[in-house]
Amino acid sequence: MENIKEKIEELRKALRYHSDRYYNDDAPEIEDYEYDMMMRELKKLEEQYPEYDTEDSPTKRVGGKADNSFDSVVHRVRMESLQDAFSKDEIYDFDSRVHNVVDSPKYCVEPKIDGLSVSLEYENGVFVRGSTRGDGNIGEDVSGNIKVIHNVPLKLTKDIPFIEVRGEVYMPKKSFERVVDRQLIKGEKPFKNPRNAAAGSLRQKDSEITATRGLDIFIFNIQQVEGVTLGSHKESLDFLQELGFNTVPDYTLVETIDEALSVIDKIGEERGNLEFDIDGAVIKVDDFEMRSQLGSTAKFPKWAVAFKYPPEEKQTKLVDIEIAVGRTGVLTPTAVLEPVHLAGTTVSRATLHNSDFIKEKGIAIGDIVTVRKAGDIIPEVLCVNEHNSNQFFEFPKLCPSCQSPVVKENDEAAIRCINPDCPAQLLRNLIHFCSRDAMDIEGLGPAILETFVDNGLIEKTEDIYSLTFEKIDSAKLEGFKEKSISNIIHSIENSKKNDLGKLIFGLGIRHIGAKAGNLLANHFRNMEAIMNASADDILKIDGFGDIMAESVVDFFNNEKSKELIKSLDENGVNMEAKNVVKDNRFENKTFVLTGTLPTLKRAEASKIIESFGGKTSSSVSKKTSYVLAGEEAGSKLDKANQLGIEIITEEEFMEMVK
């Protein structure tokens, strides 16, 4: 019995962890199917051993906790979860339970959209609030971000006194591909799947960012309504369409459970061709009076069930392994497969993750492998079923794009090319170099840089400073008029005067952010001194660790890096530190900035702190000296109060630096 108790606690701990990663961090580590199977195992154990059943078990919860970044919303109508079914037998069991209570029920069947569940409220036909589901009782107010979703009507076609509807915010597959492409170009960690992309986008503090993500919504339920009487689910969906809502597609009314299963099969066959993700299909009792008779458990309505499609797996032959160099320098292996039909599409390529995965599985060209669509989006090789070769695949020692030696750093699985002039990384490096916190070259945004690269105007970073009005003008590029070209050249010239810290950050040295770039510049004062510094020299800078120091040394030991610096210097780019430390009144003092300051931008406040010998940090700890707080200061302020750290306003801060 003790082993059973330990197993239950082990499952609860794992489920809580993965639930938090899924709902609150938008960064899942396992597939939905694996999570569902763990939850199912826990439910069975709790039913078999009720003495170990507790009210705080993950089986009693709905969704995730409300994020403290947004105001809380108490749902007047609980946003329930659905009971999952994984086989047709379980669907028949659901039908039997329904028939035990009501006679001759009709069912409405609809696809289960894989996104983020939200509530929309309208007063007199006007949108007043949007909130996430949270734990079903308390969610997050995300009204500002909901408003920028183009399919959310801000005014209904009828002035209904009050209506609350429930829908699913999702990211279409095309939008997801665009977002991931932009993340890779910028060197950011890409979203794992559209569901997490949608959740991360809806929780943005800046609605302008949300607006760029291409989110969409399907409405699938009326939570409460005044001034209208509706008798069934299909009737309510038809009514929602009349009001101007984008309702869940292909909802179908059927007479029997066998007809419902046929619709589920049809949805399953088509899911690979849809422009959005689904993770199942939902069967709902159509009649509202019958729903009232059936009622709900503590967590689920008894009048609905969600059929979850299992991830489809197939075996096929591994024909070849191709190595691509990503825009961050990571060498990514891709399996070339004998084509196989999987989850509605023909798959001929799949990810192999990294070199460690290939080594661990002992993968070789010619093997028979199992392939699955991860989250029904990205095909991946799971394992080897049959080895047909003893010659296991070896990762290249040289970059396939530029033939430079590749490295594998201790803190990551990826093998990486660190050549700053690697053609495969050129666009990402250029975007970073020209960005606001780096060389701040206004007018050279991602789209224009891509145009210049495609037309041969820029082949390496230093080519930016070889651009002239005549060179750009003679390329006859669409949309580039005299004024716009002149502005670009002017911005390039201005960037030559930047402080050394901005240049160091712009070089894109691994592990070196904007703050670290300023610390290097202020400590060594010129580029030559930094290039000649040893790791021990760099470690004397407060805030630098072994990995950061080694990364700087490795970068400047690279011959391509030396050539880049030489060329920038010859083109007149400043190589000296301009920041002057006025005095050391903030020496050994660490500031954390939180919220919106009345007049200062965070970057300005940070610069002032550094000019007096202090430093800034992004997180509050016992080592924090002051928390400089503005409006809408969040969890950092709470933690500062808990630790007894002094909290100051902008006015008090300005008094300190007089």
Side-chain angles (χ1 to χ4, degrees):
M1 292 292 283
E2 192 63 32
N3 288 340
I4 296 295
K5 185 178 180 182
E6 288 177 5
K7 179 62 176 176
I8 287 173
E9 287 305 317
E10 181 183 310
L11 283 167
R12 286 173 180 166
K13 183 178 179 181
L15 284 164
R16 288 187 185 109
Y17 172 78
H18 290 297
S19 178
D20 188 58
R21 295 290 288 163
Y22 184 93
Y23 286 105
N24 301 321
D25 295 339
D26 304 317
E29 295 179 2
I30 61 174
E31 296 300 325
D32 289 355
Y33 187 76
E34 295 173 69
Y35 181 89
D36 291 337
M37 291 300 102
M38 289 169 62
M39 182 67 79
R40 166 159 289 205
E41 184 180 0
L42 177 58
K43 286 177 184 175
K44 284 184 177 179
L45 288 173
E46 289 178 345
E47 289 168 1
Q48 291 174 352
Y49 303 94
E51 63 270 30
Y52 299 135
D53 195 3
T54 61
E55 285 304 312
D56 65 346
S57 171
T59 59
K60 307 296 191 298
R61 290 189 60 80
V62 178
K65 296 178 182 177
D67 191 309
N68 292 330
S69 302
F70 298 91
D71 291 337
S72 295
V73 175
V74 177
H75 298 305
R76 286 180 285 177
V77 176
R78 191 164 185 262
M79 296 179 72
E80 295 176 306
S81 182
L82 290 174
Q83 178 72 54
D84 291 332
F86 297 91
S87 68
K88 292 189 176 182
D89 286 342
E90 291 175 80
I91 297 296
Y92 284 121
D93 288 343
F94 162 75
D95 182 55
S96 296
R97 293 193 298 271
V98 171
H99 275 86
N100 287 337
V101 179
V102 299
D103 295 325
S104 303
K106 292 181 181 179
Y107 294 115
C108 198
V109 186
E110 60 199 46
K112 187 174 184 294
I113 312 301
D114 194 13
L116 188 72
S117 197
V118 296
S119 157
L120 308 182
E121 297 173 59
Y122 292 78
E123 293 178 0
N124 298 316
V126 177
F127 175 80
V128 292
R129 184 165 67 176
S131 55
T132 63
R133 183 177 71 176
D135 65 359
N137 295 310
I138 300 174
E140 310 152 356
D141 189 328
V142 289
S143 302
N145 292 345
I146 289 285
K147 284 181 180 179
V148 302
I149 299 173
H150 71 281
N151 263 329
V152 171
L154 300 182
K155 188 167 190 340
L156 305 180
T157 59
K158 298 180 182 180
D159 295 341
I160 297 174
F162 178 79
I163 186 170
E164 179 187 2
V165 300
R166 182 170 173 180
E168 198 82 359
V169 171
Y170 70 96
M171 183 174 286
K173 293 176 182 177
K174 287 182 179 178
S175 297
F176 176 68
E177 291 169 3
R178 285 196 298 268
V179 169
V180 169
D181 281 346
R182 287 199 294 265
Q183 288 176 317
L184 291 173
I185 286 173
K186 294 178 180 177
E188 299 171 351
K189 184 178 180 180
F191 289 119
K192 186 176 181 181
N193 56 48
R195 189 269 166 203
N196 297 103
S201 301
L202 196 63
R203 287 172 172 154
Q204 286 288 330
K205 277 293 189 180
D206 187 348
S207 295
E208 290 185 6
I209 296 175
T210 305
T212 66
R213 297 287 175 81
L215 296 179
D216 211 329
I217 190 169
F218 284 125
I219 304 300
F220 61 83
N221 202 55
I222 293 179
Q223 298 293 92
Q224 50 181 331
V225 63
E226 296 175 8
V228 179
T229 301
L230 299 165
S232 72
H233 183 61
K234 185 178 184 304
E235 183 186 358
S236 71
L237 290 176
D238 292 342
F239 178 66
L240 287 170
Q241 286 188 350
E242 292 176 19
L243 293 179
F245 287 109
N246 188 36
T247 57
V248 63
D250 301 323
Y251 55 90
T252 306
L253 186 65
V254 298
E255 302 279 344
T256 68
I257 200 67
D258 285 322
E259 289 178 17
L261 285 168
S262 295
V263 175
I264 287 175
D265 288 341
K266 183 180 178 183
I267 293 172
E269 290 167 5
E270 290 296 320
R271 63 177 172 148
N273 302 321
L274 299 174
E275 289 302 313
F276 48 87
D277 273 0
I278 64 171
D279 59 353
V282 183
I283 302 175
K284 299 175 180 178
V285 172
D286 187 51
D287 186 88
F288 287 163
E289 180 58 37
M290 289 184 180
R291 288 187 183 185
S292 298
Q293 295 176 47
L294 288 160
S296 298
T297 67
K299 185 176 178 181
F300 306 113
K302 295 180 181 179
W303 43 263
V305 67
F307 180 81
K308 303 294 282 286
Y309 298 110
E312 190 179 1
E313 298 176 1
K314 291 282 183 70
Q315 291 185 18
T316 187
K317 186 176 181 179
L318 178 64
V319 178
D320 197 4
I321 296 176
E322 295 179 353
I323 304 294
V325 185
R327 292 185 174 114
T328 59
V330 174
L331 273 61
T332 304
T334 298
V336 180
L337 309 166
E338 284 189 353
V340 59
H341 194 72
L342 189 64
T345 59
T346 299
V347 172
S348 59
R349 300 171 68 82
T351 180
L352 286 165
H353 302 293
N354 52 52
S355 61
D356 287 349
F357 178 83
I358 292 174
K359 188 175 181 181
E360 176 191 330
K361 303 294 182 183
I363 293 173
I365 295 170
D367 287 349
I368 302 300
V369 296
T370 295
V371 186
R372 177 178 74 182
K373 275 196 175 181
D376 287 333
I377 292 293
I378 306 165
E380 64 176 344
V381 172
L382 289 179
C383 61
V384 175
N385 300 96
E386 181 184 329
H387 285 298
N388 290 329
S389 172
N390 293 322
Q391 296 181 342
F392 299 128
F393 182 79
E394 291 289 337
F395 241 67
K397 300 292 189 293
L398 300 177
C399 171
S401 179
C402 67
Q403 300 304 305
S404 296
V406 296
V407 299
K408 182 175 182 180
E409 298 180 349
N410 294 329
D411 63 332
E412 58 180 30
I415 290 177
R416 186 182 301 273
C417 171
I418 59 172
N419 174 15
D421 284 337
C422 177
Q425 303 171 65
L426 177 61
L427 184 58
R428 179 258 175 185
N429 290 342
L430 289 170
I431 291 169
H432 176 74
F433 186 85
C434 297
S435 64
R436 184 175 299 174
D437 290 337
M439 295 303 281
D440 193 17
I441 305 179
E442 192 174 344
L444 284 187
I448 291 176
L449 284 168
E450 189 169 6
T451 299
F452 283 6
V453 170
D454 290 345
N455 286 274
L457 293 174
I458 299 178
E459 295 181 358
K460 49 187 183 296
T461 302
E462 52 264 47
D463 288 348
I464 290 171
Y465 293 98
S466 300
L467 290 173
T468 62
F469 182 95
E470 292 73 24
K471 188 180 287 188
I472 299 173
D473 188 48
S474 62
K476 304 296 181 186
L477 303 176
E478 186 178 348
F480 286 84
K481 306 297 182 184
E482 183 177 337
K483 186 175 181 181
S484 62
I485 297 174
S486 296
N487 288 340
I488 290 172
I489 298 301
H490 181 68
S491 294
I492 292 172
E493 282 301 311
N494 277 346
S495 73
K496 295 179 181 180
K497 305 169 189 174
N498 283 335
D499 186 72
L500 177 61
K502 292 179 77 69
L503 173 58
I504 294 169
F505 176 58
L507 294 174
I509 305 170
R510 291 273 294 154
H511 309 297
I512 302 301
K515 187 166 72 174
N518 286 329
L519 290 173
L520 280 166
N522 292 336
H523 183 83
F524 290 103
R525 307 306 296 172
N526 62 69
M527 181 64 82
E528 185 178 1
I530 296 171
M531 294 178 72
N532 292 329
S534 66
D536 288 338
D537 294 332
I538 297 170
L539 282 170
K540 292 175 184 176
I541 303 174
D542 186 23
F544 270 72
D546 290 336
I547 292 175
M548 292 172 70
E550 290 294 341
S551 186
V552 174
V553 171
D554 288 345
F555 181 85
F556 287 113
N557 279 342
N558 185 292
E559 288 301 319
K560 294 289 186 182
S561 299
K562 293 176 182 177
E563 291 174 14
L564 169 61
I565 300 301
K566 181 182 178 183
S567 178
L568 293 174
D569 189 21
E570 290 173 348
N571 276 287
V573 177
N574 174 55
M575 298 285 162
E576 303 285 333
K578 293 183 176 182
N579 289 341
V580 177
V581 177
K582 298 174 182 177
D583 61 50
N584 291 319
R585 69 183 70 180
F586 291 153
E587 188 174 7
N588 299 322
K589 301 291 184 184
T590 301
F591 289 73
V592 171
L593 282 60
T594 182
T596 304
L597 299 174
T599 62
L600 289 175
K601 293 181 179 178
R602 288 195 188 187
E604 294 171 337
S606 296
K607 190 173 288 187
I608 293 171
I609 291 165
E610 290 166 6
S611 72
F612 288 103
K615 66 176 185 177
T616 58
S617 174
S618 60
S619 58
V620 177
S621 69
K622 291 179 180 178
K623 295 180 180 179
T624 304
S625 309
Y626 302 99
V627 170
L628 175 54
E631 289 183 13
E632 298 182 7
S635 57
K636 292 178 183 178
L637 194 62
D638 297 334
K639 189 167 184 181
N641 283 319
Q642 290 172 9
L643 296 175
I645 293 164
E646 186 174 351
I647 298 166
I648 59 173
T649 63
E650 181 186 300
E651 185 179 358
E652 290 169 324
F653 173 69
M654 295 310 292
E655 283 294 319
M656 295 169 72
V657 298
K658 270 188 178 179

